[in-house]
Amino acid sequence: MICTAFIAFKSAPVQSLRWTSIRCLAALAPSAAAACAACASCVSRWLQIEEVVTSIEDKLAELAAERSELEAYQGLDRQQRGIEYALLDRELTAARKELAKVDEERAKLRAETAAAHEATSDASQLLADKEAAIARANG
């Protein structure tokens, strides 16, 4: 005697309902009760397998959702880093321009200070020469 049970399950790639038959070789069992028990055992195992497959499919769907969420996050993170870089680059460029202006102003003031110091030295030397000339004339 061969017992046949039909069980419906979802096919993962196609996502369509299919019918599969499980054939138990219940003829090997010594009695009809044992044959039904053997068939029930096969059906029970099949249902357990189907539960595991369903659990795996659910986990895969969850992981796919998490993956798409992660890809969206990574895209937004990349965009944020790009904007931050642009802002920091703009600030750096402005700071460099300001530094160049300050350096130029400092060089200009240093040249003016050197010229003023030289003029003061020349005036001091001229004053010393005139005072010496006055002292010789008076004395």
Side-chain angles (χ1 to χ4, degrees):
M1 165 195 319
I2 295 178
C3 178
T4 303
F6 291 96
I7 298 176
F9 71 97
K10 281 188 176 179
S11 171
V14 181
Q15 296 296 324
S16 64
L17 197 60
R18 288 190 181 169
W19 288 92
T20 300
S21 109
I22 299 175
R23 294 180 184 265
C24 298
L25 295 176
L28 300 177
S31 68
C36 285
C39 182
S41 172
C42 287
V43 170
S44 173
R45 279 190 237 137
W46 183 258
L47 291 174
Q48 288 175 345
I49 290 169
E50 186 178 343
E51 287 177 20
V52 169
V53 168
T54 302
S55 171
I56 290 171
E57 288 174 345
D58 291 345
K59 186 64 175 177
L60 284 173
E62 181 181 325
L63 289 173
E66 287 180 9
R67 181 179 181 173
S68 65
E69 184 179 327
L70 176 62
E71 288 172 352
Y73 171 79
Q74 287 175 335
L76 292 173
D77 184 53
R78 198 173 313 122
Q79 185 179 12
Q80 178 184 1
R81 283 185 281 131
I83 291 169
E84 287 174 352
Y85 175 81
L87 290 173
L88 291 174
D89 187 54
R90 187 179 297 164
E91 288 178 13
L92 179 62
T93 302
R96 284 182 177 161
K97 285 181 182 179
E98 187 65 29
L99 179 62
K101 284 181 186 178
V102 168
D103 283 344
E104 185 180 313
E105 184 68 25
R106 183 177 53 144
K108 184 179 175 183
L109 291 174
R110 180 179 287 156
E112 289 175 3
T113 303
H117 181 67
E118 190 176 324
T120 305
S121 272
D122 290 345
S124 293
Q125 185 64 38
L126 183 62
L127 180 63
D129 290 344
K130 296 291 179 178
E131 286 178 349
I134 293 173
R136 274 183 289 190
N138 287 338

